[in-house]
Every structure is written in C-alpha cells, then in structure tokens.
Amino acid sequence: MRDADWQHLDDEPLERLLVERWVYRGILLGVIFLAAIITTYLGARGLVDRADQITIVALLALAFAAGAVAFTMRQQDLKIHRELRRRRARPSNP
C-alpha cells in the first residue's frame, strides 16, 4: 500500500486499516508456524524421496516469503502509527 492510499483517510478509518493489517499479519504468522510444523514433521520422519525434499524446500520458501511480507507490512504500519500520533499531538482548531 502506497502512502497516498492511506494518508487521506481520517483517524477512525486508519485505525480500522491497522486492525485489518494486524489480522493479515496474524494469518501470515500462522502460515509460518504451519510451514515450520510440517517441515519439522517431515524432517523427523526422515526424507524418504525427492518429493519430501521438494516439499521442504517449498515450505521453507513459503515461510520466508510470508515473513518478508509481514516485515514489509510492519514497516508500513509503523508509518501509519507515526501519522496517527502526529495528528493526535497537533492541537485541534475549534
């Protein structure tokens, strides 16, 4: 999401956007955990054939991609938090 997409929003829609993004990051964290569990299970069971190796590589790639997306989302969320703080610190004119 670009800065221009959210900077025109009021405080309440920005807060809703942050909550929505927290839910997305939670889902991404769940994907990472699920990939870790399946990878651990396959590793503990032993790599029987090439398909197991390919599955592990695919799961690790998925986990790293989800982590990268979550990290990038967090960086954007920090910008939104700073903007909300800046708006609230500014004195309102009646």
Side-chain angles (χ1 to χ4, degrees):
M1 174 178 281
R2 297 180 313 235
D3 290 348
D5 293 341
W6 57 265
Q7 285 187 338
H8 69 280
L9 296 175
D10 292 332
D11 289 357
E12 188 174 327
L14 268 182
E15 290 173 357
R16 278 189 263 131
L17 176 67
L18 282 174
V19 170
E20 180 181 324
R21 291 171 64 88
W22 291 336
V23 170
Y24 290 150
R25 279 202 325 267
I27 291 169
L28 289 171
L29 185 62
V31 168
I32 293 170
F33 284 148
L34 185 62
I37 290 168
I38 294 171
T39 300
T40 303
Y41 171 75
L42 289 175
R45 186 185 69 167
L47 301 178
V48 181
D49 55 2
R50 183 65 112 190
D52 287 345
Q53 293 173 348
I54 292 171
T55 302
I56 286 179
V57 168
L59 287 170
L60 290 175
L62 176 67
F64 281 117
V69 169
F71 179 78
T72 304
M73 286 180 72
R74 178 64 181 148
Q75 297 304 311
Q76 186 71 28
D77 289 353
L78 288 173
K79 290 180 185 178
I80 296 171
H81 280 290
R82 284 186 209 112
E83 175 65 19
L84 278 172
R85 275 190 240 123
R86 185 187 66 77
R87 289 180 186 181
R88 290 178 180 154
R90 180 177 50 194
S92 59
N93 294 330

